[in-house]
Amino acid sequence: QGQLVESGGGSVQAGGSLRLSCAASVDIYRRAYWSWFRQAPGKEREGVAAVAIGVGMTYYADSVKGRFTISQDSTGKILYLQMNSLKPEDTAMYYCAADFSGSGGSWSWHQLWGLWGQGTQVTVSS
C-alpha cells in the first residue's frame, strides 16, 4: 500500500515560512490525489491543501489561500507544502495523506483518505 513520511516541521515566529515534505514509498503518480491535513489539540482534522496529479488541479482551504502552496518534485516521490506568512492559528500537527476515495470537491473530508503519514509538528509563535 505504501508509506508516507513527513518532515520539515518546526517552530517559527509569525510571518515566517516553512516547507513541509512528504516522502512516499510508492510513485506518487500512481495515486490520483494527494493532500495535506492538520490537527490542532482538541480540534477536528482539517484539510489544508490537495492536488490532483493527473490534471494538475490544486485545492486549498480558505484559511491558507494565498499563503500555502502544494506541489510535488520532478521524481513524483515527494509532496511539498510551502507555508508563507505563517500565523499562530496555523499551529498544528500536519499530515500527508493519499488513497483518496472521493471526488475533487470532497477533498477536505479526512474520512475519504486511506493512507496517512505520522505527522510533523508546526508551531507558530506571535
Side-chain angles (χ1 to χ4, degrees):
Q1 185 178 11
Q3 186 177 16
L4 303 173
V5 179
E6 301 96 333
S7 62
S11 297
V12 295
Q13 291 191 326
S17 298
L18 283 173
R19 187 176 77 163
L20 305 183
S21 299
C22 172
S25 62
V26 293
D27 193 335
I28 287 181
Y29 287 107
R30 297 180 186 175
R31 314 296 175 102
Y33 288 86
W34 291 81
S35 67
W36 288 96
F37 281 74
R38 65 186 181 188
Q39 188 167 20
K43 293 190 176 181
E44 289 283 321
R45 191 163 294 194
E46 173 190 24
V48 175
V51 57
I53 300 295
V55 297
M57 289 285 292
T58 56
Y59 308 85
Y60 294 95
D62 288 343
S63 59
V64 306
K65 279 181 183 176
R67 300 189 299 123
F68 290 12
T69 303
I70 188 171
S71 64
Q72 72 268 25
D73 79 327
S74 58
T75 69
K77 294 183 178 179
I78 302 177
L79 187 72
Y80 296 112
L81 184 68
Q82 178 67 44
M83 305 186 296
N84 299 327
S85 302
L86 282 161
K87 304 175 181 180
E89 50 264 43
D90 295 319
T91 295
M93 185 72 80
Y94 282 71
Y95 299 91
C96 175
D99 277 352
F100 182 53
S101 58
S103 60
S106 58
W107 70 271
S108 62
W109 295 10
H110 66 86
Q111 300 92 332
L112 297 179
W113 297 84
L115 181 64
W116 294 86
Q118 85 291 345
T120 185
Q121 178 68 38
V122 172
T123 303
V124 185
S125 58
S126 57

